[in-house]
Amino acid sequence: MSYTRDSIKKFVQDNINSLIDDGVIAGRVIEQMVAKKNNWKNVGGNNFSYDHVDEDGNKIETKSTRSIQLDRYLRIGGMGNKKNCCDIMQIIDTISGREFRIPHDIFYKRARFDNNQFWWSCNYDTNIRSYVKSINTELLLEHEVLQ
């Protein structure tokens, strides 16, 4: 097997489903899609602690989720190392197609974490037993990007 551009393209075409199922690869593709959709500069993967820069110079970290946990929740991880590294936290729910943008200071003041993970209700119900997940769901709903 060679590693030329053409062989990589063929490999991607032949293995597209397993590549999309890989969270790291899917996350990078989503970052590219977000940048293109919003006409933002994409800087992810360049040792920055954020993924995009918008037209106003805001540093935006994009996180996405793509699987339901415990039959009723969504989550994103790796949140601790993002504190004080961006201006806006953007969360993409790839199951429902919903998108949220929360100013950094509001996000880290109000969000509740469980082992460095941010959890919320997959059906966006705020009347759930878990106080933490209810608070996080409310936070997202207040900052939903309406298409």
Side-chain angles (χ1 to χ4, degrees), residues 28-47:
R28 293 304 305 263
V29 170
I30 290 166
E31 289 170 11
Q32 294 288 329
M33 292 170 69
V34 166
K36 185 171 185 134
K37 173 186 170 189
N38 294 294
N39 199 30
W40 294 341
K41 181 179 179 185
N42 190 37
V43 297
N46 292 322
N47 296 321

Side-chain angles (χ1 to χ4, degrees), residues 21-72:
D21 290 341
D22 181 306
V24 173
I25 293 172
R28 293 304 305 263
V29 170
I30 290 166
E31 289 170 11
Q32 294 288 329
M33 292 170 69
V34 166
K36 185 171 185 134
K37 173 186 170 189
N38 294 294
N39 199 30
W40 294 341
K41 181 179 179 185
N42 190 37
V43 297
N46 292 322
N47 296 321
F48 290 100
S49 295
Y50 51 92
D51 300 309
H52 314 288
V53 177
D54 71 11
E55 62 280 352
D56 296 322
N58 291 308
K59 299 173 201 151
I60 302 168
E61 171 64 17
T62 297
K63 292 287 211 173
S64 60
T65 188
R66 55 188 184 75
S67 62
I68 296 174
Q69 306 293 316
L70 307 172
D71 295 325
R72 61 185 171 259

Side-chain angles (χ1 to χ4, degrees), residues 4-21:
T4 64
R5 183 176 177 83
D6 286 340
S7 64
I8 293 168
K9 285 170 73 173
K10 174 148 180 31
F11 182 86
V12 168
Q13 291 168 344
D14 293 347
N15 296 280
I16 191 68
N17 288 330
S18 64
L19 292 170
I20 289 172
D21 290 341

Side-chain angles (χ1 to χ4, degrees), residues 3 11 33 78 88 95 115 117 121:
Y3 300 99
F11 182 86
M33 292 170 69
I88 298 170
I95 295 169
N115 292 324
Q117 296 179 341
S121 166

